[in-house]
Amino acid sequence: MAKLTMGQECFTHEYCTNCPNRKVCTIRPKFYSDQAYNTWKDETVRNFNIITSLQGIHPFIAEMGKNIALNMMDKRRAEERRLHETYVKE
């Protein structure tokens, strides 16, 4: 069986707490700053829209996938901020 990518591994975890990539994750540190997280989300959505359009994915399906992924990240972010309030920067 092939080794999962970091993105695939991320998708299999509800929260970052037990993720084996926690220490090397480049996204999780952005959870603690509204500006950094919102910039990451904007860039991710822009890239996602371009890629799904180029691949010919129906806009309705792409929108559903995008919303599921963003909701998952928002949920992870909320839990990280709850568990580690010390690191939150507004």
Side-chain angles (χ1 to χ4, degrees):
M1 187 165 136
K3 185 176 191 247
L4 297 177
T5 66
M6 282 182 62
Q8 290 168 331
E9 186 78 47
C10 178
F11 190 77
T12 67
H13 291 84
E14 186 174 10
Y15 297 108
C16 302
T17 313
N18 297 322
C19 181
N21 297 310
R22 180 178 175 81
K23 290 183 179 180
V24 295
C25 180
T26 59
I27 298 167
R28 187 184 52 79
K30 294 173 176 60
F31 288 169
Y32 303 109
S33 164
D34 288 340
Q35 181 181 0
Y37 185 65
N38 289 330
T39 298
W40 172 81
K41 269 177 85 168
D42 290 345
E43 290 173 3
T44 299
V45 166
R46 196 168 28 256
N47 290 336
F48 180 87
N49 290 337
I50 291 168
I51 290 167
T52 56
S53 174
L54 290 172
Q55 292 179 333
I57 297 173
H58 191 280
F60 177 77
I61 301 298
E63 189 67 23
M64 282 182 18
K66 178 172 54 179
N67 288 336
I68 289 168
L70 291 176
N71 286 336
M72 287 172 63
M73 294 309 283
D74 288 345
K75 182 178 176 180
R76 289 180 182 118
R77 179 181 191 237
E79 182 68 358
E80 283 294 306
R81 291 168 67 94
R82 184 187 73 77
L83 291 173
H84 306 287
E85 288 181 41
T86 310
Y87 302 118
V88 174
K89 305 170 204 142
E90 296 303 323

